[in-house]
């Protein structure tokens, strides 16, 4: 509960943030529409928009058609003036990219492998890359930096939980370490939270902002929960770590201490390992896959309805369906978006999940639920890193006024 009052200045900032977010969602709209959607007076909208135009964060587009055929001046976020840096860190690689303020990738600056590198050294490298990217683009006004990291991530303190498979990632506050040396805000969050933010704020696919869950099914499984415009984080920031919810209470022992964790059965690694093991006993005539293959080859075989690959895929989807059913009853989402490696298989993922979940879930619940794949052509968490930065910049609108004084 908010237990402090609001001063006039902060109310003005809140209103500015609201208008920026409405412009982000509408993409193109009139002052009248902003007034209607925000509930603010027309005069307040006029003042805010005048400031935004003078700061170059919003521009007029000429006349657009409104309700009843009335024409009015269109407003849109200026995508030429302000930029953010987005960094996607995984346990295998990191990517650093430059994005405009509406989330279009302008350039992928660097993609680097990370195995075996300690976290302190890694952060040092990433910071150097960000500084080089900023120095190399002096004409771009960068207002914030977003970093999407793997979980379990305690966002309150900014620490990643070390995991046995990737030793050398010491317990340090990424939040503090990454902010040092930058005078623009740096925001760090779990990759699934970044993913859901990208899906809900940058994606061109239609969505409502009721309750949306993004499920990243990659080498691990995590989810980001978006509810009425906010990411649900829990008391320490690890809400949504569904990879460590159990689908078999007497199942395999997980390093987290639990048994039967979803990630042990339905991650891309679990799928690949199961397929490699079962391949040994599979007759060559039943599959086009050789004895050794990687996840991309397996995904392709599923897409091509390879008999053997599809049989294993259905088994893995059964596990994932059980995990997703847990999400449905925990959060009652209207939309579930599947991303990360397993989504590369494509439509069969949605088809199988829909089939399974319709058997596992009350009809009235499933009727109100849509399941789809990510709308991003690249990793949503990479765009999500940009979305984190944009979201932070929009919550500090005075960042855009500074450029006039620079
Ligand atoms: Zn676990």
């Amino acid at each position: 509960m908010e237990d402090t009052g609001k001063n006039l200045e902060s109310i003005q900032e809140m209103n500015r943030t609201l208008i920026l977010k409405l412009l982000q969602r509408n993409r193109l709209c009139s002052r009248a529409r902003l007034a209607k959607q925000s509930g603010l007076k027309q005069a307040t909208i006029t003042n805010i928009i005048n400031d935004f135009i003078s700061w170059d964060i919003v521009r007029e587009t000429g006349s657009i058609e409104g309700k009843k055929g009335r024409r009015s001046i269109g407003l849109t976020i200026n995508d030429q003036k302000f930029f953010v840096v987005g960094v996607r860190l995984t346990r295998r690689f990191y990517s650093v990219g430059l994005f405009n303020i509406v989330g279009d990738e302008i350039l992928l600056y660097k993609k680097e492998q990370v195995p075996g590198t300690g976290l302190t050294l890694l952060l040092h490298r990433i910071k150097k890359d960000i500084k080089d990217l900023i120095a190399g683009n002096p004409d771009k006004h960068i207002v914030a930096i977003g970093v999407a990291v793997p979980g379990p991530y305690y966002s309150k303190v900014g620490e990643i939980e070390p995991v046995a498979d990737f030793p050398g990632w010491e317990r340090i506050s990424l939040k503090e370490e990454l902010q040092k040396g930058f005078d623009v805000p740096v925001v760090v969050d779990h990759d699934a939270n970044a993913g859901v933010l990208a899906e809900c704020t940058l994606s061109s696919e239609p969505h409502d902002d009721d309750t949306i869950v993004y499920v990243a099914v990659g080498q691990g499984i995590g989810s980001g929960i978006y509810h009425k415009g906010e990411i649900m984080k829990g008391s320490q920031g690890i809400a949504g770590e569904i990879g460590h919810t159990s689908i078999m209470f007497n199942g395999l022992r997980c390093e987290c201490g639990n048994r039967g964790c979803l990630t042990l059965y339905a991650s891309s690694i679990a799928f690949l390992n199961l397929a490699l093991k079962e391949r040994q006993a599979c007759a060559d005539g039943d599959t086009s896959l050789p004895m050794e293959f990687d996840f991309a080859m397996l995904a392709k075989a599923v897409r091509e309805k390879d008999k053997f690959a599809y049989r294993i895929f259905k088994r893995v989807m059964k596990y994932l369906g059980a995990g997703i059913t847990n999400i449905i009853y925990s959060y009652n989402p209207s939309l579930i978006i599947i991303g990360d490696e397993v989504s590369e298989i494509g439509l069969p993922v949605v088809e199988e999940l829909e089939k399974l979940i319709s058997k596992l879930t009350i009809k009235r619940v499933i009727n109100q639920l849509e399941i789809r794949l990510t709308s991003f052509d690249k990793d949503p968490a990479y765009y999500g890193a940009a979305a984190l930065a944009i979201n932070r910049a929009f919550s500090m609108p005075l960042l855009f006024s500074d450029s006039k004084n620079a």
Side-chain angles (χ1 to χ4, degrees):
M1 193 177 83
E2 298 258 349
D3 55 2
T4 51
K6 293 264 180 285
N7 295 309
L8 262 179
E9 294 80 9
S10 56
I11 290 175
Q12 190 180 32
E13 284 304 276
M14 279 169 56
N15 288 341
R16 284 176 173 154
T17 297
L18 175 64
I19 298 306
L20 283 172
K21 289 188 173 178
L22 286 173
L23 280 162
Q24 182 188 43
R25 186 189 306 172
N26 291 314
R27 285 164 195 243
L28 176 65
C29 70
S30 64
R31 287 172 175 79
R33 184 152 177 208
L34 289 174
K36 189 160 187 272
Q37 290 181 342
S38 66
L40 293 172
K41 285 181 191 151
Q42 190 91 36
T44 310
I45 298 290
T46 304
N47 288 337
I48 291 175
I49 295 297
N50 284 348
D51 283 346
F52 285 170
I53 291 175
S54 77
W55 300 346
D56 269 351
I57 178 66
V58 167
R59 63 186 175 84
E60 292 182 326
T61 62
S63 81
I64 53 168
E65 193 155 338
K67 269 188 181 166
K68 297 174 193 159
R70 262 185 230 145
R71 300 201 68 79
S72 52
I73 294 166
L75 297 169
T76 192
I77 290 180
N78 180 4
D79 59 8
Q80 308 286 317
K81 177 68 192 266
F82 298 99
F83 298 82
V84 298
V85 175
V87 180
R88 161 71 153 136
L89 171 63
T90 77
R91 290 189 163 91
R92 290 174 302 150
F93 66 87
Y94 71 84
S95 310
V96 180
L98 180 68
F99 297 80
N100 67 14
I101 201 71
V102 296
D104 301 320
E105 184 195 47
I106 304 299
L107 92 116
L108 170 62
Y109 182 68
K110 202 169 224 185
K111 188 162 180 173
E112 282 283 309
Q113 300 294 321
V114 304
T117 313
L119 201 49
T120 308
L121 181 61
L122 202 53
L123 292 189
H124 183 74
R125 272 192 216 159
I126 290 172
K127 285 172 76 168
K128 184 174 181 310
D129 287 337
I130 298 172
K131 284 180 181 160
D132 289 349
L133 169 64
I134 295 173
N137 291 275
D139 58 323
K140 305 276 191 288
H141 190 95
I142 291 162
V143 287
I145 298 163
V147 186
V149 300
Y153 177 67
Y154 302 93
S155 66
K156 287 261 162 81
V157 289
E159 289 174 8
I160 299 176
E161 176 74 29
V163 295
D165 292 354
F166 295 89
W169 276 32
E170 45 297 23
R171 241 181 230 282
I172 50 172
S173 175
L174 281 89
K175 217 159 60 168
E176 265 174 43
E177 279 307 312
L178 284 162
Q179 184 62 67
K180 280 182 207 160
F182 293 107
D183 52 10
V184 295
V186 179
V187 47
V188 186
D189 208 339
H190 185 274
D191 47 21
N193 286 342
V196 81
L197 194 64
E199 294 286 352
C200 295
T201 62
L202 306 182
S203 159
S204 53
E205 294 276 319
H207 59 261
D208 58 46
D209 59 357
D210 188 11
T211 303
I212 296 168
V213 181
Y214 168 74
V215 188
V217 193
Q219 299 214 327
I221 299 180
S223 72
I225 306 136
Y226 191 81
H227 179 67
K228 296 200 186 299
E230 299 287 337
I231 296 170
M232 200 185 283
K233 293 198 172 175
S235 62
Q236 292 171 291
I238 66 149
E241 277 297 350
I242 57 143
H244 295 286
T245 58
S246 180
I247 52 164
M248 251 171 265
F249 74 89
N250 57 355
L252 298 169
R253 172 75 76 186
C254 179
E255 65 170 290
C256 73
N258 201 355
R259 274 187 183 278
C261 286
L262 179 63
T263 196
L264 300 177
Y265 295 87
S267 67
S268 58
I269 294 177
F271 181 19
L272 178 63
N273 286 343
L274 179 65
L276 284 168
K277 187 170 147 239
E278 296 282 319
R279 177 65 185 89
Q280 304 299 320
C282 171
D284 285 345
D286 281 349
T287 181
S288 58
L289 284 166
M291 282 294 175
E292 292 293 326
F293 48 88
D294 61 14
F295 185 79
M297 291 163 79
L298 178 59
K300 185 166 174 276
V302 175
R303 275 195 305 273
E304 291 169 352
K305 298 268 156 76
D306 177 275
K307 225 168 118 187
F308 161 77
Y310 212 89
R311 181 162 51 83
I312 307 295
F313 166 70
K314 276 175 90 166
R315 250 167 84 183
V316 173
M317 285 299 107
K318 237 179 176 167
Y319 299 132
L320 187 59
I324 287 185
T325 303
N326 292 340
I327 294 179
I328 293 171
Y329 285 119
S330 302
Y331 305 108
N332 190 201
S334 55
L335 174 62
I336 292 179
I337 302 167
I338 312 285
D340 213 335
E341 263 179 319
V342 168
S343 72
E344 287 161 22
I345 293 167
L347 269 186
V349 174
V350 174
E351 288 165 4
E352 284 304 317
L353 285 177
E354 278 179 347
K355 244 188 275 172
L356 285 160
I357 288 165
S358 68
K359 285 185 208 148
L360 299 172
T361 316
I362 300 168
K363 207 166 182 311
R364 186 163 170 179
V365 176
I366 191 82
N367 284 347
Q368 298 294 318
L369 172 69
E370 182 193 349
I371 299 174
R372 68 165 166 82
L373 298 173
T374 174
S375 52
F376 290 96
D377 55 349
K378 285 189 200 165
D379 176 11
Y382 171 55
Y383 288 96
L388 291 171
I390 294 165
N391 202 46
R392 176 60 57 87
F394 283 179
S395 71
M396 304 165 76
L398 287 173
L399 278 176
F400 302 110
S401 75
D402 289 347
S403 70
K404 288 284 158 187
N405 311 322

